[in-house]
């Protein structure tokens, strides 16, 4: 097992496919397949299952992925420090909602102010971002929930959650009746448990006396974009960020049931480790974000 094999493996998992990873790394698909096969042979475990229609990371593959990302992050950190590049790179994690509506604006403004800085952005679910900031493989992150953690969570924006429904005649009729309990009997789509939106929406539903067992859960997905497409295609309903479906609503591809703002609003947070020693560029970015969202 070497660094390059691990890098190929991580890219395959991130890209959810061998061909996509090969294109990204400028390798042939056969080379990528050979690296994964070599890892599987060395470890004696199947890491990825794939068919023409299915791509699945096994439990052993998930374990290796976590170690591999840590190893690659530490390897890159060592190289940057030895080369004297450490203070020029910010490694930022972001969950799905802030990746679209928060980070691009603040990153653009910061890079305009601080010339010569590079950013490496990783998109994952909120809980994974928090975990990676805690362990130090990311410098900081933007997430849609907070946890008991060694990290500091600084609120940067408010996000309202709504119930999104397919724009069909059946769902329009339900929406007109306005009975939330009746609407929630429809097939329900959820993100995987690491999603900040899922975590916050379940907590908000509990305030209304509802729980996950009261939902007719039909599909669990690990990708916010896939979930939105499924709503558009009429597969079911879901509680999502208003930001994430606003354009679909304007295009009349989804319907929106507004939920009580006092229950279904949340903060988007900047998350970072409050260490005594931080690279100056990291401190500068944290200060910039705080000023950007408080002025």
């Amino acid at each position: 097992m070497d660094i390059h094999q691990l890098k190929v493996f991580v890219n395959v998992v991130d890209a959810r496919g061998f061909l996509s990873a090969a294109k990204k790394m400028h390798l042939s698909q056969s080379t990528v397949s050979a690296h994964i096969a070599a890892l599987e042979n060395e470890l004696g475990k199947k890491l990825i299952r794939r068919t023409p229609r299915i791509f699945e990371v096994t439990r052993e593959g998930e374990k290796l992925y976590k170690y591999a990302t840590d190893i690659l992050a530490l390897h890159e950190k060592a190289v940057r420090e030895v080369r004297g590049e450490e203070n020029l790179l910010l490694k930022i994690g972001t969950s799905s909602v802030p990746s679209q509506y928060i980070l691009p604006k603040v990153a653009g403004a910061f890079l305009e102010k601080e010339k010569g800085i590079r950013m490496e952005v990783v998109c994952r679910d909120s809980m994974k971002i928090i975990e990676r900031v805690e362990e130090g493989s990311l410098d900081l992150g933007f997430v849609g929930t907070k946890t008991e953690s060694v990290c500091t969570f600084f609120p940067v924006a408010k996000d309202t959650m709504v119930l999104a429904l397919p724009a069909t005649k059946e769902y329009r009729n339900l929406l007109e009746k306005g009975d939330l309990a009746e609407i929630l009997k429809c097939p329900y789509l959820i993100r995987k448990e690491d999603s900040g939106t899922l975590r916050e929406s379940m907590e908000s539903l509990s305030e209304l006396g509802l729980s996950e067992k009261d939902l007719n859960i039909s599909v669990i997905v690990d990708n916010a974009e896939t979930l939105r497409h499924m709503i558009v295609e009429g597969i079911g309903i879901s509680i999502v960020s208003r930001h994430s479906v606003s354009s679909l609503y304007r295009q009349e591809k989804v319907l929106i049931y507004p939920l009580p703002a006092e229950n279904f609003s949340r903060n988007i947070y900047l998350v970072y480790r409050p260490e005594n020693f931080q690279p100056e560029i990291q401190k500068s970015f944290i200060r910039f974000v705080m000023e950007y969202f408080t002025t």
Side-chain angles (χ1 to χ4, degrees):
M1 182 187 312
D2 61 33
I3 288 291
H4 188 63
Q5 287 176 329
L6 293 178
K7 190 175 292 185
V8 170
F9 174 70
V10 167
N11 273 278
V12 168
V13 174
D14 287 346
R16 308 295 297 175
F18 284 57
L19 181 58
S20 299
K23 289 179 178 178
K24 179 180 177 182
M25 300 186 73
H26 305 290
L27 299 171
S28 68
Q29 188 172 353
S30 61
T31 299
V32 169
S33 297
H35 280 305
I36 300 303
L39 274 175
E40 291 178 331
N41 288 336
E42 180 176 349
L43 296 171
K45 296 290 184 180
K46 193 71 176 172
L47 302 174
I48 294 171
R49 294 192 185 95
R50 59 170 177 152
T51 70
R53 302 186 58 164
I54 296 173
F55 179 95
E56 180 184 33
V57 183
T58 66
R59 181 172 299 190
E60 290 77 15
E62 293 281 3
K63 290 178 181 177
L64 180 62
Y65 178 83
K66 183 180 185 305
Y67 283 113
T69 53
D70 291 347
I71 291 167
L72 291 174
L74 187 60
H75 175 263
E76 185 176 342
K77 182 178 176 67
V79 171
R80 292 200 314 266
E81 286 186 353
V82 172
R83 289 178 175 172
E85 300 173 353
E86 178 64 19
N87 292 333
L88 300 179
L89 177 67
L90 272 173
K91 301 192 76 171
I92 301 173
T94 177
S95 60
S96 58
V97 171
S99 75
Q100 299 174 65
Y101 308 103
I102 302 293
L103 180 59
K105 293 179 181 178
V106 70
F110 183 73
L111 292 173
E112 181 66 26
K113 174 177 175 285
E114 297 283 349
K115 305 298 183 183
I117 302 304
R118 293 186 300 121
M119 289 184 180
E120 182 177 315
V121 179
V122 174
C123 296
R124 296 285 186 277
D125 290 329
S126 290
M127 300 302 289
K128 285 191 173 71
I129 295 299
I130 294 169
E131 179 183 318
R132 291 190 60 181
V133 173
E134 285 177 337
E135 70 192 18
S137 61
L138 290 173
D139 296 323
L140 42 86
F142 291 91
V143 294
T145 190
K146 64 185 294 188
T147 63
E148 292 294 326
S149 171
V150 297
C151 293
T152 295
F153 293 82
F154 179 82
V156 297
K158 281 285 185 183
D159 182 35
T160 302
M161 292 181 287
V162 297
L163 184 60
L165 303 83
T168 65
K169 183 178 179 180
E170 174 192 359
Y171 282 103
R172 288 184 191 279
N173 290 337
L174 275 174
L175 195 60
E176 287 175 6
K177 294 177 184 177
D179 186 338
L180 178 60
E182 192 66 25
I183 293 173
L184 289 175
K185 292 178 182 178
C186 296
Y188 195 91
L189 318 177
I190 64 170
R191 295 274 305 282
K192 292 182 76 172
E193 61 184 13
D194 288 333
S195 160
T197 302
L198 173 64
R199 179 187 173 92
E200 295 294 320
S201 63
M202 289 299 106
E203 289 184 4
S204 297
L205 283 172
S206 69
E207 295 175 11
L208 301 182
L210 299 168
S211 68
E212 192 172 319
K213 71 176 186 293
D214 296 310
L215 303 176
N216 179 19
I217 296 172
S218 61
V219 179
I220 302 172
V221 299
D222 63 358
N223 180 279
E225 187 66 21
T226 300
L227 185 144
R228 288 192 290 272
H229 283 306
M230 286 186 167
I231 297 173
V232 171
E233 293 299 322
I235 295 174
I237 65 176
S238 189
I239 294 175
V240 298
S241 163
R242 180 182 288 274
H243 283 301
S244 70
V245 292
S246 58
S247 63
L248 294 174
Y249 176 70
R250 289 193 297 271
Q251 297 168 44
E252 300 184 348
K253 292 183 176 181
V254 300
L255 306 173
I256 285 179
Y257 181 97
L259 297 164
E262 64 271 20
N263 302 111
F264 289 89
S265 63
R266 62 171 179 170
N267 286 315
I268 301 296
Y269 298 96
L270 167 69
V271 55
Y272 61 93
R273 286 180 62 94
E275 297 172 327
N276 293 329
F277 173 77
Q278 289 174 334
E280 187 55 41
I281 192 60
Q282 189 173 329
K283 292 179 183 177
S284 179
F285 184 75
I286 291 170
R287 287 194 300 267
F288 182 86
V289 171
M290 290 178 174
E291 292 172 4
Y292 186 91
F293 289 103
T294 55
T295 56

